[in-house]
Amino acid sequence: MSRHFITIEDLAYKDLATIYAGACSPFDDETLKGQGVALIFERPSLRTRASSSSAVQELGGYVTFFSDEEIGLDTRESAHDVARTLAQMYAICALRVRDHRVFEKMRVATNDEMSLINLLSDTAHPTQAVADVLTIAEHFTRGDVDQLSGLKVSYVGDATNVARSLSVALLRLGAHVTVCAPEGYQLAHGGGEDPFAIASGSLLLSDSPEDAVRDADVVYTDAWVSMGFEAETQRRRLDLASFQVNESLMKKAKPGTVVLHCLPAHRGEEITDAVIDGESSLVWRQVFHRRSAMLGVLRWIKKEDHD
Ligand code: CP
Ligand code: NVA
């Protein structure tokens, strides 16, 4: 039975530990020698496509890229038939999808014979969360993810896919997570990658950015207008205007607080130039760790001692 990487919530702690360790392994290996990974993107991507492609190549494999137009998941052809076709030729299929439920359809269709990797869905962005944890641990605990217990991380903005996977990943490591969003943009209960289902760490919901950043070690934000919500752009800019991560807000934080953003950034909306380009910003280390994260996920998927 193949391993899947669909949410952080789904994984056992020892599997997450293997992923974090494998992400930073200095050893060259040929885990994917001669093997293909199908990459399907229903939405645009720079970092995820680049990090997936380069990590597969680093491990000796090759990728085939399929755009939304070429595949037409559940439009040109059913997700079931796409999955069964790809499983004849690929060991791994990594997808960025509109609807998280596609993963379950593809898993069932292939009887778990092809590994699936979630490269962002409407409810989760778990490869980003692995990169975020690696970035935070590198800065605060010399890379030891097991020492992040008690760290205070505040997410400010639209609490969607990135916020959900980030929260789950950090809660599972015992961190204190505050999610600060206006009414209508706060974390939703249920669905894939549910922060409310995690028993460890602590989760606080807030609607005050000033309160949220006051004791934070890390402040994190993401787009106000996620992919697929473009029609709501004007309303979202108004609703989220007072949740911008700017210099004035960061003055309320303590010295040493760092800022993260998954990118792409919308400078002047959720974050200002002064903050994203400032000394507290770790965004380029986050980008670097997107590739580390993919190495960890791919090595874990192919690890031989499936138990
Ligand atoms: N952060 C992230 O997933 O970036 P892309 O959308 O460019 O892949
Ligand atoms: N929340 C954003 C993340 C982009 C990486 C989106 O879904 O568009």
Side-chain angles (χ1 to χ4, degrees):
M1 184 162 139
S2 302
R3 285 175 166 154
H4 307 293
F5 182 79
I6 295 173
T7 63
I8 303 285
E9 184 189 354
D10 283 345
L11 298 185
Y13 184 79
K14 69 177 173 51
D15 294 323
L16 286 171
T18 302
I19 290 171
Y20 292 131
C24 298
S25 167
F27 303 110
D28 287 340
D29 61 60
E30 294 196 307
T31 297
L32 292 174
K33 189 174 180 188
Q35 295 185 56
V37 177
L39 293 182
I40 298 178
F41 282 82
E42 291 194 288
R43 301 241 188 242
S45 166
L46 171 59
R47 280 144 291 271
T48 309
R49 183 171 171 181
S51 57
S52 310
S53 305
S54 59
V56 171
Q57 173 119 19
E58 160 104 16
L59 297 177
Y62 63 92
V63 294
T64 311
F65 177 80
F66 300 95
S67 69
D68 189 26
E69 295 73 32
E70 286 161 331
I71 293 271
L73 267 180
D74 278 336
T75 51
R76 178 173 185 266
E77 192 171 9
S78 71
H80 180 281
D81 290 354
V82 169
R84 289 195 68 176
T85 299
L86 291 173
Q88 308 299 314
M89 298 163 210
Y90 296 91
I92 301 175
C93 179
L95 307 92
R96 171 165 285 196
V97 297
R98 294 188 184 86
D99 185 342
H100 191 82
R101 291 170 297 184
V102 163
F103 293 112
E104 183 61 13
K105 288 187 198 173
M106 294 183 76
R107 202 185 61 69
V108 170
T110 58
N111 205 18
D112 293 313
E113 279 171 10
M114 175 174 67
S115 286
L116 300 173
I117 301 177
N118 180 359
L119 298 179
L120 182 144
S121 69
D122 49 336
T123 62
H125 196 0
T127 61
Q128 177 72 53
V130 172
D132 298 339
V133 166
L134 295 172
T135 307
I136 293 169
E138 179 179 72
H139 184 81
F140 288 99
T141 59
R142 296 171 182 248
D144 185 352
V145 300
D146 291 320
Q147 287 185 36
L148 293 180
S149 177
L151 199 81
K152 293 181 176 159
V153 180
S154 290
Y155 179 91
V156 179
D158 181 23
T160 178
N161 43 16
V162 168
R164 293 172 71 84
S165 288
L166 175 77
S167 300
V168 170
L170 289 166
L171 290 169
R172 294 201 63 183
L173 293 167
H176 299 305
V177 177
T178 299
V179 177
C180 178
E183 196 180 342
Y185 299 87
Q186 190 46 276
L187 285 177
H189 284 263
E193 200 83 292
D194 182 4
F196 297 101
I198 309 300
S200 52
S202 71
L203 176 63
L204 185 72
L205 305 185
S206 166
D207 61 4
S208 164
E210 290 75 18
D211 289 348
V213 305
R214 191 161 291 120
D215 287 329
D217 298 299
V218 179
V219 174
Y220 197 119
T221 191
D222 177 20
W224 289 345
V225 186
S226 283
M227 294 178 274
F229 290 87
E230 291 79 4
E232 300 178 7
T233 298
Q234 290 312 322
R235 178 163 65 78
R236 287 173 164 264
R237 283 181 181 153
L238 287 173
D239 291 347
L240 286 145
S242 56
F243 289 74
Q244 184 185 65
V245 176
N246 53 34
E247 279 183 303
S248 162
L249 181 67
M250 291 310 298
K251 281 195 180 117
K252 308 276 190 326
K254 61 191 181 190
T257 301
V258 298
V259 176
L260 277 76
H261 189 310
C262 56
L263 305 179
H266 308 83
R267 291 162 176 261
E269 290 191 23
E270 75 275 2
I271 196 162
T272 57
D273 287 339
V275 173
I276 198 167
D277 297 329
E279 283 186 356
S280 61
S281 170
L282 296 185
V283 299
W284 303 112
R285 283 311 283 174
Q286 271 183 283
V287 172
F288 171 84
H289 281 305
R290 292 300 308 277
R291 185 164 165 283
S292 325
M294 282 306 299
L295 289 170
V297 170
L298 291 164
R299 284 174 169 146
W300 167 75
I301 279 179
K302 299 305 289 185
K303 199 165 176 278
E304 290 193 351
D305 61 337
H306 286 208
D307 49 9

